[in-house]
Short mmCIF file of all heavy atoms in Angstrom, two decimals:
data_model
loop_
_atom_site.label_atom_id
_atom_site.label_comp_id
_atom_site.label_asym_id
_atom_site.label_seq_id
_atom_site.Cartn_x
_atom_site.Cartn_y
_atom_site.Cartn_z
N ARG A 1 -17.89 -9.82 -9.05
CA ARG A 1 -18.92 -10.12 -10.03
C ARG A 1 -20.06 -10.89 -9.39
O ARG A 1 -21.21 -10.63 -9.71
CB ARG A 1 -18.33 -10.92 -11.18
CG ARG A 1 -17.43 -10.09 -12.07
CD ARG A 1 -16.95 -10.87 -13.24
NE ARG A 1 -16.05 -11.91 -12.74
CZ ARG A 1 -15.64 -12.93 -13.45
NH1 ARG A 1 -16.03 -13.07 -14.67
NH2 ARG A 1 -14.82 -13.82 -12.93
N GLN A 2 -19.73 -11.84 -8.53
CA GLN A 2 -20.78 -12.65 -7.90
C GLN A 2 -21.67 -11.79 -7.00
O GLN A 2 -22.89 -11.97 -6.99
CB GLN A 2 -20.17 -13.79 -7.08
CG GLN A 2 -19.61 -14.90 -7.92
CD GLN A 2 -20.71 -15.62 -8.70
OE1 GLN A 2 -21.81 -15.80 -8.22
NE2 GLN A 2 -20.40 -15.99 -9.92
N ALA A 3 -21.07 -10.87 -6.27
CA ALA A 3 -21.86 -10.01 -5.38
C ALA A 3 -22.84 -9.18 -6.20
O ALA A 3 -24.00 -9.02 -5.82
CB ALA A 3 -20.95 -9.12 -4.55
N SER A 4 -22.40 -8.65 -7.33
CA SER A 4 -23.29 -7.86 -8.20
C SER A 4 -24.42 -8.73 -8.72
O SER A 4 -25.57 -8.28 -8.80
CB SER A 4 -22.51 -7.26 -9.36
OG SER A 4 -21.58 -6.32 -8.89
N ALA A 5 -24.12 -9.97 -9.07
CA ALA A 5 -25.15 -10.88 -9.57
C ALA A 5 -26.17 -11.19 -8.48
O ALA A 5 -27.38 -11.21 -8.74
CB ALA A 5 -24.51 -12.16 -10.08
N PHE A 6 -25.71 -11.43 -7.26
CA PHE A 6 -26.62 -11.72 -6.16
C PHE A 6 -27.49 -10.50 -5.85
O PHE A 6 -28.68 -10.63 -5.56
CB PHE A 6 -25.86 -12.14 -4.91
CG PHE A 6 -25.25 -13.51 -5.00
CD1 PHE A 6 -23.99 -13.75 -4.51
CD2 PHE A 6 -25.93 -14.57 -5.57
CE1 PHE A 6 -23.40 -15.00 -4.59
CE2 PHE A 6 -25.37 -15.83 -5.66
CZ PHE A 6 -24.10 -16.05 -5.17
N LEU A 7 -26.91 -9.31 -5.88
CA LEU A 7 -27.69 -8.09 -5.64
C LEU A 7 -28.75 -7.91 -6.71
O LEU A 7 -29.87 -7.49 -6.41
CB LEU A 7 -26.77 -6.87 -5.59
CG LEU A 7 -25.90 -6.72 -4.35
CD1 LEU A 7 -24.92 -5.58 -4.54
CD2 LEU A 7 -26.75 -6.49 -3.11
N LYS A 8 -28.41 -8.22 -7.94
CA LYS A 8 -29.36 -8.08 -9.05
C LYS A 8 -30.57 -8.97 -8.84
O LYS A 8 -31.70 -8.60 -9.17
CB LYS A 8 -28.67 -8.42 -10.37
CG LYS A 8 -29.52 -8.17 -11.58
CD LYS A 8 -28.75 -8.52 -12.83
CE LYS A 8 -28.31 -7.22 -13.46
NZ LYS A 8 -27.65 -7.38 -14.74
N GLU A 9 -30.36 -10.15 -8.25
CA GLU A 9 -31.45 -11.08 -7.97
C GLU A 9 -32.25 -10.68 -6.73
O GLU A 9 -33.27 -11.27 -6.45
CB GLU A 9 -30.89 -12.49 -7.77
CG GLU A 9 -30.29 -13.08 -9.02
CD GLU A 9 -29.63 -14.42 -8.77
OE1 GLU A 9 -29.77 -14.96 -7.65
OE2 GLU A 9 -28.95 -14.91 -9.69
N GLY A 10 -31.77 -9.70 -5.97
CA GLY A 10 -32.50 -9.24 -4.81
C GLY A 10 -32.02 -9.79 -3.48
O GLY A 10 -32.65 -9.58 -2.45
N HIS A 11 -30.91 -10.51 -3.49
CA HIS A 11 -30.38 -11.10 -2.27
C HIS A 11 -29.54 -10.09 -1.49
O HIS A 11 -29.01 -9.14 -2.06
CB HIS A 11 -29.49 -12.31 -2.59
CG HIS A 11 -30.21 -13.41 -3.28
ND1 HIS A 11 -31.12 -14.21 -2.66
CD2 HIS A 11 -30.16 -13.82 -4.57
CE1 HIS A 11 -31.60 -15.09 -3.51
NE2 HIS A 11 -31.04 -14.86 -4.70
N ARG A 12 -29.41 -10.33 -0.20
CA ARG A 12 -28.48 -9.57 0.63
C ARG A 12 -27.12 -10.24 0.54
O ARG A 12 -27.03 -11.45 0.39
CB ARG A 12 -28.94 -9.55 2.08
CG ARG A 12 -30.27 -8.85 2.26
CD ARG A 12 -30.76 -8.98 3.66
NE ARG A 12 -30.25 -7.83 4.39
CZ ARG A 12 -30.41 -7.66 5.69
NH1 ARG A 12 -31.05 -8.55 6.39
NH2 ARG A 12 -29.95 -6.59 6.27
N VAL A 13 -26.07 -9.44 0.64
CA VAL A 13 -24.71 -9.96 0.51
C VAL A 13 -23.90 -9.52 1.72
O VAL A 13 -23.89 -8.34 2.06
CB VAL A 13 -24.04 -9.45 -0.79
CG1 VAL A 13 -22.62 -9.96 -0.89
CG2 VAL A 13 -24.85 -9.84 -2.00
N LYS A 14 -23.24 -10.47 2.36
CA LYS A 14 -22.35 -10.16 3.46
C LYS A 14 -20.93 -10.12 2.91
O LYS A 14 -20.49 -11.06 2.26
CB LYS A 14 -22.44 -11.21 4.57
CG LYS A 14 -21.55 -10.89 5.75
CD LYS A 14 -21.75 -11.87 6.88
CE LYS A 14 -20.92 -11.46 8.09
NZ LYS A 14 -21.12 -12.36 9.20
N ILE A 15 -20.26 -9.02 3.16
CA ILE A 15 -18.90 -8.85 2.67
C ILE A 15 -17.95 -8.92 3.85
O ILE A 15 -18.06 -8.13 4.78
CB ILE A 15 -18.75 -7.53 1.92
CG1 ILE A 15 -19.63 -7.56 0.68
CG2 ILE A 15 -17.30 -7.28 1.56
CD1 ILE A 15 -19.60 -6.32 -0.14
N ASN A 16 -17.06 -9.89 3.81
CA ASN A 16 -16.03 -10.05 4.83
C ASN A 16 -14.70 -9.64 4.23
O ASN A 16 -14.28 -10.20 3.23
CB ASN A 16 -15.93 -11.49 5.32
CG ASN A 16 -17.12 -11.88 6.14
OD1 ASN A 16 -17.56 -11.13 6.99
ND2 ASN A 16 -17.64 -13.07 5.89
N LEU A 17 -14.05 -8.71 4.87
CA LEU A 17 -12.72 -8.28 4.44
C LEU A 17 -11.73 -8.92 5.39
O LEU A 17 -11.62 -8.52 6.54
CB LEU A 17 -12.63 -6.76 4.50
CG LEU A 17 -11.31 -6.12 4.11
CD1 LEU A 17 -11.02 -6.39 2.65
CD2 LEU A 17 -11.35 -4.64 4.37
N PHE A 18 -11.06 -9.97 4.91
CA PHE A 18 -10.09 -10.67 5.74
C PHE A 18 -8.73 -9.99 5.60
O PHE A 18 -8.27 -9.74 4.51
CB PHE A 18 -9.97 -12.14 5.33
CG PHE A 18 -11.19 -12.94 5.65
CD1 PHE A 18 -12.01 -13.40 4.65
CD2 PHE A 18 -11.52 -13.21 6.97
CE1 PHE A 18 -13.15 -14.13 4.95
CE2 PHE A 18 -12.65 -13.95 7.28
CZ PHE A 18 -13.46 -14.40 6.26
N LEU A 19 -8.12 -9.71 6.73
CA LEU A 19 -6.85 -9.01 6.74
C LEU A 19 -5.79 -9.89 7.38
O LEU A 19 -6.03 -10.53 8.40
CB LEU A 19 -6.97 -7.71 7.52
CG LEU A 19 -7.99 -6.74 6.94
CD1 LEU A 19 -8.31 -5.65 7.93
CD2 LEU A 19 -7.47 -6.15 5.66
N PRO A 20 -4.59 -9.93 6.79
CA PRO A 20 -3.54 -10.79 7.32
C PRO A 20 -2.81 -10.16 8.51
O PRO A 20 -2.69 -8.94 8.61
CB PRO A 20 -2.59 -10.93 6.13
CG PRO A 20 -2.75 -9.65 5.39
CD PRO A 20 -4.20 -9.28 5.56
N GLY A 21 -2.36 -11.00 9.39
CA GLY A 21 -1.47 -10.60 10.48
C GLY A 21 -1.91 -9.39 11.26
O GLY A 21 -3.02 -9.31 11.75
N ARG A 22 -1.01 -8.42 11.35
CA ARG A 22 -1.27 -7.24 12.17
C ARG A 22 -2.15 -6.21 11.48
O ARG A 22 -2.52 -5.21 12.08
CB ARG A 22 0.05 -6.60 12.55
CG ARG A 22 0.84 -7.47 13.48
CD ARG A 22 2.09 -6.79 13.89
NE ARG A 22 2.87 -7.67 14.74
CZ ARG A 22 4.04 -7.37 15.23
NH1 ARG A 22 4.58 -6.20 14.96
NH2 ARG A 22 4.69 -8.22 15.99
N ALA A 23 -2.48 -6.41 10.23
CA ALA A 23 -3.32 -5.46 9.50
C ALA A 23 -4.68 -5.33 10.16
O ALA A 23 -5.35 -4.31 10.01
CB ALA A 23 -3.46 -5.90 8.05
N LYS A 24 -5.10 -6.35 10.90
CA LYS A 24 -6.41 -6.32 11.58
C LYS A 24 -6.47 -5.21 12.62
O LYS A 24 -7.53 -4.72 12.95
CB LYS A 24 -6.67 -7.64 12.29
CG LYS A 24 -6.75 -8.81 11.39
CD LYS A 24 -7.01 -10.04 12.19
CE LYS A 24 -5.72 -10.72 12.50
NZ LYS A 24 -5.76 -12.15 12.49
N TYR A 25 -5.32 -4.84 13.14
CA TYR A 25 -5.28 -3.90 14.26
C TYR A 25 -4.96 -2.48 13.82
O TYR A 25 -4.71 -1.62 14.65
CB TYR A 25 -4.25 -4.37 15.29
CG TYR A 25 -4.49 -5.81 15.70
CD1 TYR A 25 -3.61 -6.81 15.31
CD2 TYR A 25 -5.62 -6.16 16.41
CE1 TYR A 25 -3.84 -8.13 15.66
CE2 TYR A 25 -5.86 -7.47 16.76
CZ TYR A 25 -4.96 -8.45 16.39
OH TYR A 25 -5.20 -9.76 16.72
N LEU A 26 -4.98 -2.21 12.52
CA LEU A 26 -4.68 -0.88 12.02
C LEU A 26 -5.83 0.08 12.31
O LEU A 26 -6.90 -0.32 12.77
CB LEU A 26 -4.40 -0.93 10.52
CG LEU A 26 -3.12 -1.66 10.13
CD1 LEU A 26 -3.02 -1.77 8.62
CD2 LEU A 26 -1.90 -0.95 10.67
N ASP A 27 -5.62 1.33 11.99
CA ASP A 27 -6.59 2.39 12.21
C ASP A 27 -7.93 2.06 11.53
O ASP A 27 -7.95 1.56 10.41
CB ASP A 27 -6.02 3.69 11.65
CG ASP A 27 -6.90 4.88 11.92
OD1 ASP A 27 -7.47 4.96 13.03
OD2 ASP A 27 -7.00 5.75 11.04
N LYS A 28 -9.05 2.35 12.20
CA LYS A 28 -10.37 2.04 11.65
C LYS A 28 -10.63 2.77 10.33
O LYS A 28 -11.27 2.23 9.44
CB LYS A 28 -11.46 2.42 12.65
CG LYS A 28 -11.76 1.36 13.66
CD LYS A 28 -13.00 1.71 14.42
CE LYS A 28 -13.37 0.60 15.36
NZ LYS A 28 -14.60 0.87 16.08
N ASP A 29 -10.13 3.99 10.20
CA ASP A 29 -10.33 4.73 8.96
C ASP A 29 -9.65 4.02 7.79
O ASP A 29 -10.18 3.97 6.68
CB ASP A 29 -9.78 6.15 9.09
CG ASP A 29 -10.58 6.97 10.09
OD1 ASP A 29 -11.78 6.69 10.27
OD2 ASP A 29 -10.00 7.90 10.69
N PHE A 30 -8.47 3.47 8.03
CA PHE A 30 -7.75 2.73 7.00
C PHE A 30 -8.56 1.50 6.59
O PHE A 30 -8.69 1.20 5.40
CB PHE A 30 -6.38 2.30 7.52
CG PHE A 30 -5.62 1.43 6.58
CD1 PHE A 30 -4.99 1.95 5.48
CD2 PHE A 30 -5.56 0.05 6.79
CE1 PHE A 30 -4.29 1.13 4.60
CE2 PHE A 30 -4.87 -0.77 5.93
CZ PHE A 30 -4.23 -0.22 4.83
N LEU A 31 -9.13 0.80 7.57
CA LEU A 31 -9.91 -0.40 7.27
C LEU A 31 -11.17 -0.05 6.49
O LEU A 31 -11.54 -0.75 5.54
CB LEU A 31 -10.27 -1.13 8.57
CG LEU A 31 -9.09 -1.63 9.41
CD1 LEU A 31 -9.59 -2.27 10.68
CD2 LEU A 31 -8.22 -2.58 8.62
N LYS A 32 -11.83 1.05 6.86
CA LYS A 32 -13.04 1.47 6.13
C LYS A 32 -12.69 1.88 4.71
O LYS A 32 -13.47 1.64 3.78
CB LYS A 32 -13.72 2.62 6.86
CG LYS A 32 -14.46 2.15 8.10
CD LYS A 32 -15.20 3.27 8.75
CE LYS A 32 -15.86 2.76 10.02
NZ LYS A 32 -16.60 3.79 10.72
N GLU A 33 -11.53 2.49 4.52
CA GLU A 33 -11.10 2.86 3.19
C GLU A 33 -10.90 1.62 2.32
O GLU A 33 -11.28 1.61 1.15
CB GLU A 33 -9.79 3.64 3.29
CG GLU A 33 -9.30 4.20 1.99
CD GLU A 33 -8.02 4.98 2.18
OE1 GLU A 33 -7.95 5.81 3.11
OE2 GLU A 33 -7.08 4.73 1.40
N ARG A 34 -10.33 0.57 2.89
CA ARG A 34 -10.15 -0.69 2.17
C ARG A 34 -11.50 -1.29 1.78
O ARG A 34 -11.68 -1.80 0.68
CB ARG A 34 -9.40 -1.70 3.03
CG ARG A 34 -7.97 -1.40 3.19
CD ARG A 34 -7.31 -1.62 1.89
NE ARG A 34 -5.93 -1.94 2.10
CZ ARG A 34 -5.03 -1.90 1.15
NH1 ARG A 34 -5.37 -1.56 -0.05
NH2 ARG A 34 -3.80 -2.19 1.39
N LEU A 35 -12.46 -1.24 2.70
CA LEU A 35 -13.80 -1.77 2.43
C LEU A 35 -14.48 -0.95 1.34
O LEU A 35 -15.14 -1.51 0.46
CB LEU A 35 -14.62 -1.78 3.72
CG LEU A 35 -15.93 -2.54 3.70
CD1 LEU A 35 -15.69 -4.01 3.40
CD2 LEU A 35 -16.63 -2.40 5.02
N ASP A 36 -14.31 0.36 1.37
CA ASP A 36 -14.90 1.22 0.33
C ASP A 36 -14.33 0.91 -1.04
O ASP A 36 -15.05 0.94 -2.03
CB ASP A 36 -14.68 2.70 0.67
CG ASP A 36 -15.55 3.15 1.83
OD1 ASP A 36 -16.57 2.49 2.10
OD2 ASP A 36 -15.20 4.17 2.46
N ARG A 37 -13.04 0.60 -1.10
CA ARG A 37 -12.43 0.22 -2.37
C ARG A 37 -13.11 -1.00 -2.95
O ARG A 37 -13.38 -1.07 -4.15
CB ARG A 37 -10.96 -0.13 -2.15
CG ARG A 37 -10.02 0.97 -2.33
CD ARG A 37 -8.64 0.35 -2.44
NE ARG A 37 -7.61 1.27 -2.06
CZ ARG A 37 -6.34 0.95 -1.97
NH1 ARG A 37 -5.95 -0.28 -2.21
NH2 ARG A 37 -5.45 1.85 -1.64
N LEU A 38 -13.40 -1.95 -2.08
CA LEU A 38 -14.06 -3.18 -2.52
C LEU A 38 -15.48 -2.89 -2.99
O LEU A 38 -15.92 -3.38 -4.02
CB LEU A 38 -14.07 -4.19 -1.37
CG LEU A 38 -14.64 -5.55 -1.71
CD1 LEU A 38 -13.56 -6.39 -2.36
CD2 LEU A 38 -15.14 -6.21 -0.47
N LEU A 39 -16.19 -2.04 -2.26
CA LEU A 39 -17.58 -1.73 -2.61
C LEU A 39 -17.67 -0.93 -3.91
O LEU A 39 -18.68 -1.00 -4.61
CB LEU A 39 -18.25 -0.96 -1.47
CG LEU A 39 -18.47 -1.77 -0.18
CD1 LEU A 39 -19.01 -0.87 0.91
CD2 LEU A 39 -19.39 -2.94 -0.42
N ASN A 40 -16.64 -0.18 -4.24
CA ASN A 40 -16.64 0.59 -5.50
C ASN A 40 -16.56 -0.31 -6.72
O ASN A 40 -16.87 0.13 -7.82
CB ASN A 40 -15.48 1.60 -5.51
CG ASN A 40 -15.76 2.77 -4.62
OD1 ASN A 40 -16.90 3.11 -4.35
ND2 ASN A 40 -14.70 3.39 -4.14
N LEU A 41 -16.17 -1.55 -6.54
CA LEU A 41 -16.08 -2.49 -7.66
C LEU A 41 -17.45 -3.04 -8.07
O LEU A 41 -17.58 -3.62 -9.15
CB LEU A 41 -15.16 -3.65 -7.31
CG LEU A 41 -13.69 -3.29 -7.06
CD1 LEU A 41 -12.94 -4.52 -6.57
CD2 LEU A 41 -13.06 -2.73 -8.31
N LEU A 42 -18.46 -2.86 -7.23
CA LEU A 42 -19.79 -3.40 -7.53
C LEU A 42 -20.46 -2.59 -8.64
O LEU A 42 -20.36 -1.37 -8.67
CB LEU A 42 -20.67 -3.38 -6.28
CG LEU A 42 -20.20 -4.25 -5.13
CD1 LEU A 42 -21.08 -4.04 -3.92
CD2 LEU A 42 -20.21 -5.71 -5.54
N THR A 43 -21.15 -3.29 -9.53
CA THR A 43 -21.82 -2.62 -10.65
C THR A 43 -23.28 -2.30 -10.33
O THR A 43 -23.86 -1.44 -10.97
CB THR A 43 -21.75 -3.50 -11.91
OG1 THR A 43 -22.34 -4.76 -11.63
CG2 THR A 43 -20.31 -3.70 -12.34
N GLU A 44 -23.87 -2.98 -9.39
CA GLU A 44 -25.27 -2.74 -9.01
C GLU A 44 -25.36 -1.64 -7.97
O GLU A 44 -24.43 -1.45 -7.18
CB GLU A 44 -25.88 -4.02 -8.42
CG GLU A 44 -26.19 -5.09 -9.42
CD GLU A 44 -27.26 -4.69 -10.39
OE1 GLU A 44 -28.32 -4.20 -9.97
OE2 GLU A 44 -27.03 -4.85 -11.59
N ASP A 45 -26.51 -0.96 -7.94
CA ASP A 45 -26.76 0.01 -6.88
C ASP A 45 -27.08 -0.75 -5.61
O ASP A 45 -27.83 -1.72 -5.63
CB ASP A 45 -27.93 0.92 -7.23
CG ASP A 45 -27.59 1.86 -8.38
OD1 ASP A 45 -26.39 2.17 -8.55
OD2 ASP A 45 -28.52 2.28 -9.08
N TYR A 46 -26.52 -0.29 -4.50
CA TYR A 46 -26.71 -0.99 -3.23
C TYR A 46 -26.84 0.03 -2.10
O TYR A 46 -26.54 1.20 -2.26
CB TYR A 46 -25.52 -1.91 -2.94
CG TYR A 46 -24.22 -1.18 -2.72
CD1 TYR A 46 -23.86 -0.75 -1.45
CD2 TYR A 46 -23.39 -0.86 -3.78
CE1 TYR A 46 -22.69 -0.04 -1.24
CE2 TYR A 46 -22.23 -0.16 -3.58
CZ TYR A 46 -21.88 0.24 -2.31
OH TYR A 46 -20.73 0.95 -2.12
N LYS A 47 -27.35 -0.47 -0.98
CA LYS A 47 -27.32 0.32 0.25
C LYS A 47 -26.79 -0.57 1.35
O LYS A 47 -26.91 -1.80 1.28
CB LYS A 47 -28.70 0.89 0.59
CG LYS A 47 -29.73 -0.14 0.96
CD LYS A 47 -31.03 0.54 1.33
CE LYS A 47 -32.03 -0.50 1.78
NZ LYS A 47 -33.27 0.08 2.22
N ILE A 48 -26.20 0.04 2.34
CA ILE A 48 -25.60 -0.72 3.43
C ILE A 48 -26.68 -1.04 4.45
O ILE A 48 -27.29 -0.14 5.02
CB ILE A 48 -24.43 0.06 4.05
CG1 ILE A 48 -23.33 0.23 3.01
CG2 ILE A 48 -23.92 -0.65 5.28
CD1 ILE A 48 -22.14 1.02 3.47
N ALA A 49 -26.94 -2.32 4.65
CA ALA A 49 -27.97 -2.77 5.58
C ALA A 49 -27.43 -2.81 7.01
O ALA A 49 -28.16 -2.57 7.96
CB ALA A 49 -28.49 -4.14 5.18
N SER A 50 -26.16 -3.11 7.15
CA SER A 50 -25.53 -3.19 8.46
C SER A 50 -24.22 -2.42 8.39
O SER A 50 -23.41 -2.64 7.49
CB SER A 50 -25.29 -4.66 8.80
OG SER A 50 -24.21 -4.82 9.64
N ALA A 51 -24.01 -1.52 9.32
CA ALA A 51 -22.81 -0.69 9.32
C ALA A 51 -21.56 -1.57 9.40
O ALA A 51 -21.59 -2.63 10.00
CB ALA A 51 -22.84 0.26 10.50
N PRO A 52 -20.47 -1.13 8.78
CA PRO A 52 -19.23 -1.91 8.86
C PRO A 52 -18.79 -2.07 10.31
O PRO A 52 -18.77 -1.12 11.07
CB PRO A 52 -18.22 -1.06 8.09
CG PRO A 52 -19.04 -0.19 7.21
CD PRO A 52 -20.32 0.05 7.94
N GLU A 53 -18.48 -3.30 10.68
CA GLU A 53 -18.03 -3.56 12.04
C GLU A 53 -16.80 -4.44 12.02
O GLU A 53 -16.58 -5.20 11.08
CB GLU A 53 -19.14 -4.20 12.86
CG GLU A 53 -19.66 -5.48 12.28
CD GLU A 53 -20.88 -5.99 13.01
OE1 GLU A 53 -21.70 -5.19 13.46
OE2 GLU A 53 -20.99 -7.22 13.11
N LYS A 54 -16.02 -4.32 13.05
CA LYS A 54 -14.80 -5.09 13.15
C LYS A 54 -15.14 -6.54 13.52
O LYS A 54 -15.95 -6.79 14.39
CB LYS A 54 -13.91 -4.47 14.20
CG LYS A 54 -12.48 -4.72 13.99
CD LYS A 54 -11.65 -3.74 14.75
CE LYS A 54 -10.22 -4.03 14.38
NZ LYS A 54 -9.27 -3.22 14.99
N SER A 55 -14.53 -7.46 12.82
CA SER A 55 -14.71 -8.88 13.12
C SER A 55 -13.36 -9.43 13.56
O SER A 55 -12.34 -8.76 13.42
CB SER A 55 -15.25 -9.61 11.89
OG SER A 55 -14.31 -9.58 10.85
N PRO A 56 -13.32 -10.64 14.07
CA PRO A 56 -12.04 -11.19 14.55
C PRO A 56 -10.95 -11.25 13.48
O PRO A 56 -9.78 -11.14 13.79
CB PRO A 56 -12.41 -12.60 15.01
CG PRO A 56 -13.85 -12.55 15.30
CD PRO A 56 -14.43 -11.53 14.37
N LYS A 57 -11.33 -11.42 12.23
CA LYS A 57 -10.32 -11.54 11.18
C LYS A 57 -10.22 -10.32 10.29
O LYS A 57 -9.49 -10.32 9.32
CB LYS A 57 -10.61 -12.77 10.33
CG LYS A 57 -10.45 -14.04 11.10
CD LYS A 57 -10.50 -15.22 10.20
CE LYS A 57 -10.27 -16.48 11.01
NZ LYS A 57 -10.09 -17.63 10.17
N GLY A 58 -10.97 -9.28 10.56
CA GLY A 58 -10.91 -8.08 9.73
C GLY A 58 -12.13 -7.21 9.92
O GLY A 58 -12.40 -6.72 11.01
N MET A 59 -12.91 -7.02 8.86
CA MET A 59 -14.07 -6.15 8.90
C MET A 59 -15.18 -6.77 8.05
O MET A 59 -14.91 -7.44 7.06
CB MET A 59 -13.67 -4.80 8.33
CG MET A 59 -14.48 -3.68 8.81
SD MET A 59 -13.64 -2.15 8.47
CE MET A 59 -14.38 -1.20 9.74
N SER A 60 -16.44 -6.54 8.43
CA SER A 60 -17.53 -7.10 7.67
C SER A 60 -18.71 -6.14 7.63
O SER A 60 -18.88 -5.30 8.52
CB SER A 60 -17.99 -8.44 8.25
OG SER A 60 -18.50 -8.26 9.54
N THR A 61 -19.51 -6.27 6.58
CA THR A 61 -20.72 -5.47 6.42
C THR A 61 -21.72 -6.26 5.60
O THR A 61 -21.34 -7.21 4.91
CB THR A 61 -20.41 -4.10 5.77
OG1 THR A 61 -21.58 -3.31 5.78
CG2 THR A 61 -19.93 -4.28 4.34
N ILE A 62 -22.98 -5.86 5.65
CA ILE A 62 -24.03 -6.49 4.85
C ILE A 62 -24.64 -5.42 3.96
O ILE A 62 -24.97 -4.32 4.43
CB ILE A 62 -25.11 -7.11 5.76
CG1 ILE A 62 -24.51 -8.21 6.61
CG2 ILE A 62 -26.27 -7.66 4.91
CD1 ILE A 62 -25.46 -8.82 7.62
N ILE A 63 -24.76 -5.74 2.68
CA ILE A 63 -25.37 -4.80 1.74
C ILE A 63 -26.58 -5.45 1.09
O ILE A 63 -26.71 -6.67 1.05
CB ILE A 63 -24.37 -4.35 0.65
CG1 ILE A 63 -23.82 -5.54 -0.12
CG2 ILE A 63 -23.22 -3.56 1.27
CD1 ILE A 63 -22.95 -5.15 -1.30
N GLU A 64 -27.49 -4.58 0.60
CA GLU A 64 -28.66 -5.07 -0.11
C GLU A 64 -28.95 -4.14 -1.28
O GLU A 64 -28.42 -3.03 -1.34
CB GLU A 64 -29.86 -5.18 0.82
CG GLU A 64 -30.28 -3.88 1.45
CD GLU A 64 -31.36 -4.06 2.50
OE1 GLU A 64 -31.66 -5.21 2.87
OE2 GLU A 64 -31.88 -3.05 2.95
N ARG A 65 -29.79 -4.59 -2.17
CA ARG A 65 -30.11 -3.81 -3.36
C ARG A 65 -30.86 -2.55 -3.00
O ARG A 65 -31.77 -2.57 -2.18
CB ARG A 65 -30.95 -4.67 -4.30
CG ARG A 65 -31.09 -4.11 -5.68
CD ARG A 65 -31.57 -5.16 -6.60
NE ARG A 65 -32.94 -4.85 -6.96
CZ ARG A 65 -33.71 -5.66 -7.67
NH1 ARG A 65 -33.26 -6.82 -8.03
NH2 ARG A 65 -34.92 -5.32 -7.97
N ALA A 66 -30.48 -1.43 -3.62
CA ALA A 66 -31.18 -0.18 -3.40
C ALA A 66 -32.51 -0.25 -4.15
O ALA A 66 -32.57 -0.74 -5.27
CB ALA A 66 -30.35 1.00 -3.89
N LYS A 67 -33.54 0.24 -3.53
CA LYS A 67 -34.88 0.14 -4.15
C LYS A 67 -35.24 1.39 -4.88
O LYS A 67 -34.82 2.43 -4.68
CB LYS A 67 -35.90 -0.18 -3.08
CG LYS A 67 -35.60 -1.50 -2.46
CD LYS A 67 -36.64 -1.95 -1.51
CE LYS A 67 -36.17 -3.28 -0.94
NZ LYS A 67 -37.10 -3.98 -0.22
#
């Protein structure tokens, strides 16, 4: 809900997907699928400003409001 509210105001939002234990080292497609599940919960229209990339604790991406 907060991410949708921030997007509505015009802010960029960084989404960090923290994964426990060995889940960080799973297949990249699996991790992207998890991130897509999270992004489907957003109510605002958005575009991905920064491609999803692997971070030390999981995966992260930056989204912004679609114009």
Side-chain angles (χ1 to χ4, degrees):
R1 288 184 292 167
Q2 286 295 323
S4 294
F6 288 139
L7 287 172
K8 186 179 257 185
E9 293 174 8
H11 299 288
R12 296 174 91 184
V13 178
K14 182 175 184 178
I15 296 179
N16 289 317
L17 179 65
F18 291 110
L19 300 166
R22 293 183 183 178
K24 298 180 265 216
Y25 307 110
L26 292 174
D27 185 39
K28 274 191 176 183
D29 294 331
F30 175 78
L31 299 178
K32 285 184 183 179
E33 186 179 313
R34 287 291 207 196
L35 191 61
D36 288 339
R37 268 195 204 175
L38 184 83
L39 293 175
N40 285 334
L41 296 174
L42 296 175
T43 57
E44 286 295 311
D45 291 334
Y46 66 89
K47 67 178 183 176
I48 296 178
S50 152
E53 57 187 36
K54 207 161 184 180
S55 64
K57 294 190 177 189
M59 205 164 206
S60 64
T61 187
I62 297 175
I63 58 174
E64 61 188 10
R65 193 164 109 187
K67 298 186 181 191

